[in-house]
Amino acid sequence: QVQLVESGGGLVHTGGSLRLSCVASGRTLSSYSMGWFRRAPGRGREFVVAISRSGGVIEYADSVKGRFTIFRDNAKNTVYLEMNSLKPEDTAIYYCAAAELFTGIYKLEGHYRYWGQGTQVTVSS
Protein backbone atom coordinates (compact mmCIF):
# COMPACT_ATOMS: atom_id res chain seq x y z
CA GLN A 1 0.00 0.00 0.00
CA VAL A 2 1.04 3.57 -0.51
CA GLN A 3 2.26 5.68 2.41
CA LEU A 4 1.80 9.43 2.47
CA VAL A 5 3.76 12.01 4.44
CA GLU A 6 2.82 15.69 4.54
CA SER A 7 5.17 18.54 5.32
CA GLY A 8 5.41 22.30 4.95
CA GLY A 9 2.99 23.47 7.59
CA GLY A 10 3.79 26.29 9.93
CA LEU A 11 2.75 29.61 11.39
CA VAL A 12 2.06 32.56 9.10
CA HIS A 13 0.32 35.91 9.33
CA THR A 14 -2.92 36.69 7.56
CA GLY A 15 -2.19 37.16 3.87
CA GLY A 16 0.88 34.96 3.94
CA SER A 17 1.66 31.86 1.92
CA LEU A 18 2.72 28.28 2.49
CA ARG A 19 3.43 25.35 0.23
CA LEU A 20 2.51 21.94 1.54
CA SER A 21 4.04 18.77 0.17
CA CYS A 22 2.80 15.20 0.23
CA VAL A 23 5.34 12.52 -0.63
CA ALA A 24 4.19 9.03 -1.54
CA SER A 25 6.18 5.87 -1.00
CA GLY A 26 5.55 2.20 -1.58
CA ARG A 27 3.68 2.88 -4.82
CA THR A 28 4.05 5.45 -7.56
CA LEU A 29 2.00 8.58 -7.13
CA SER A 30 0.77 8.39 -10.71
CA SER A 31 -1.38 5.41 -9.74
CA TYR A 32 -3.62 7.58 -7.59
CA SER A 33 -5.93 10.50 -7.66
CA MET A 34 -5.11 12.77 -4.75
CA GLY A 35 -6.96 15.02 -2.39
CA TRP A 36 -6.29 17.50 0.37
CA PHE A 37 -8.52 17.76 3.42
CA ARG A 38 -8.29 19.80 6.59
CA ARG A 39 -9.54 19.52 10.14
CA ALA A 40 -10.06 22.65 12.20
CA PRO A 41 -10.47 22.42 15.99
CA GLY A 42 -13.87 21.07 16.91
CA ARG A 43 -14.80 20.31 13.32
CA GLY A 44 -14.79 17.31 11.05
CA ARG A 45 -12.45 16.78 8.17
CA GLU A 46 -13.27 19.23 5.38
CA PHE A 47 -12.62 18.77 1.68
CA VAL A 48 -10.14 21.23 0.20
CA VAL A 49 -9.19 20.06 -3.30
CA ALA A 50 -8.86 16.94 -5.45
CA ILE A 51 -6.82 16.14 -8.55
CA SER A 52 -7.11 13.22 -10.94
CA ARG A 53 -4.23 10.88 -11.74
CA SER A 54 -3.42 12.71 -14.94
CA GLY A 55 -4.03 16.13 -13.46
CA GLY A 56 -6.72 16.73 -16.05
CA VAL A 57 -9.48 17.21 -13.50
CA ILE A 58 -9.09 19.50 -10.49
CA GLU A 59 -11.87 20.44 -8.12
CA TYR A 60 -11.55 23.04 -5.35
CA ALA A 61 -13.75 23.78 -2.40
CA ASP A 62 -15.39 27.18 -2.73
CA SER A 63 -13.65 28.33 0.43
CA VAL A 64 -10.19 28.06 -1.15
CA LYS A 65 -10.87 28.63 -4.83
CA GLY A 66 -8.65 31.35 -6.23
CA ARG A 67 -6.26 31.17 -3.28
CA PHE A 68 -5.01 27.58 -3.24
CA THR A 69 -3.44 25.63 -6.08
CA ILE A 70 -2.82 21.91 -6.27
CA PHE A 71 -0.22 20.42 -8.57
CA ARG A 72 1.67 17.18 -8.79
CA ASP A 73 5.14 16.08 -9.80
CA ASN A 74 4.86 12.38 -10.45
CA ALA A 75 8.60 12.06 -11.07
CA LYS A 76 9.13 13.06 -7.44
CA ASN A 77 6.11 11.14 -6.17
CA THR A 78 4.89 14.39 -4.69
CA VAL A 79 1.70 16.41 -4.73
CA TYR A 80 1.74 20.02 -3.57
CA LEU A 81 -0.74 22.48 -2.19
CA GLU A 82 0.23 26.11 -2.74
CA MET A 83 -1.65 28.25 -0.26
CA ASN A 84 -1.83 32.01 -0.80
CA SER A 85 -3.74 34.86 0.85
CA LEU A 86 -4.12 32.78 3.96
CA LYS A 87 -6.83 33.62 6.47
CA PRO A 88 -7.25 32.69 10.13
CA GLU A 89 -10.11 30.39 9.13
CA ASP A 90 -7.59 28.34 7.13
CA THR A 91 -6.02 27.25 10.42
CA ALA A 92 -6.27 23.47 10.54
CA ILE A 93 -4.40 20.23 10.27
CA TYR A 94 -4.01 19.49 6.57
CA TYR A 95 -4.09 15.93 5.28
CA CYS A 96 -3.33 14.47 1.89
CA ALA A 97 -5.15 11.38 0.72
CA ALA A 98 -4.93 8.92 -2.16
CA ALA A 99 -7.59 7.06 -4.11
CA GLU A 100 -7.37 4.58 -6.97
CA LEU A 101 -9.94 6.48 -9.01
CA PHE A 102 -11.38 9.96 -9.29
CA THR A 103 -15.13 9.59 -8.82
CA GLY A 104 -18.21 11.61 -8.05
CA ILE A 105 -17.60 11.29 -4.31
CA TYR A 106 -14.21 13.00 -4.42
CA LYS A 107 -15.41 15.42 -1.71
CA LEU A 108 -16.01 12.61 0.77
CA GLU A 109 -13.48 10.98 3.05
CA GLY A 110 -14.76 7.56 2.01
CA HIS A 111 -13.44 8.12 -1.50
CA TYR A 112 -9.84 7.88 -0.29
CA ARG A 113 -8.15 4.69 0.77
CA TYR A 114 -4.88 6.12 2.13
CA TRP A 115 -4.17 9.09 4.36
CA GLY A 116 -1.15 10.97 5.62
CA GLN A 117 -0.52 11.97 9.22
CA GLY A 118 -1.28 15.64 8.66
CA THR A 119 0.65 18.89 8.97
CA GLN A 120 -0.42 21.85 11.07
CA VAL A 121 -1.14 25.20 9.43
CA THR A 122 -1.75 28.15 11.72
CA VAL A 123 -2.68 31.60 10.41
CA SER A 124 -2.50 34.43 12.91
CA SER A 125 -4.52 37.61 12.68
Side-chain angles (χ1 to χ4, degrees):
Q1 63 180 32
V2 66
Q3 293 179 296
L4 306 173
V5 179
E6 304 96 331
S7 63
L11 173 64
V12 298
H13 293 294
T14 297
S17 299
L18 286 172
R19 188 177 76 172
L20 307 184
S21 300
C22 175
V23 179
S25 62
R27 302 287 297 277
T28 58
L29 187 70
S30 62
S31 297
Y32 301 94
S33 65
M34 302 295 296
W36 285 94
F37 287 72
R38 63 189 183 185
R39 190 195 302 276
R43 303 192 65 178
R45 200 137 49 184
E46 175 190 19
F47 169 77
V48 177
V49 63
I51 185 169
S52 63
R53 288 173 292 176
S54 67
V57 179
I58 299 175
E59 299 288 348
Y60 293 93
D62 289 342
S63 59
V64 305
K65 192 175 298 181
R67 299 189 297 120
F68 291 10
T69 303
I70 188 172
F71 58 100
R72 60 195 301 165
D73 186 341
N74 288 342
K76 296 181 179 179
N77 274 344
T78 303
V79 62
Y80 303 91
L81 183 65
E82 185 74 33
M83 309 165 67
N84 299 311
S85 301
L86 284 163
K87 306 173 181 179
E89 50 263 46
D90 295 318
T91 295
I93 301 172
Y94 283 72
Y95 302 87
C96 68
E100 285 80 6
L101 295 172
F102 187 93
T103 75
I105 62 167
Y106 63 88
K107 292 182 178 180
L108 304 181
E109 295 179 63
H111 176 56
Y112 302 91
R113 190 176 188 91
Y114 306 103
W115 294 82
Q117 64 185 7
T119 185
Q120 177 70 49
V121 172
T122 303
V123 185
S124 63
S125 59

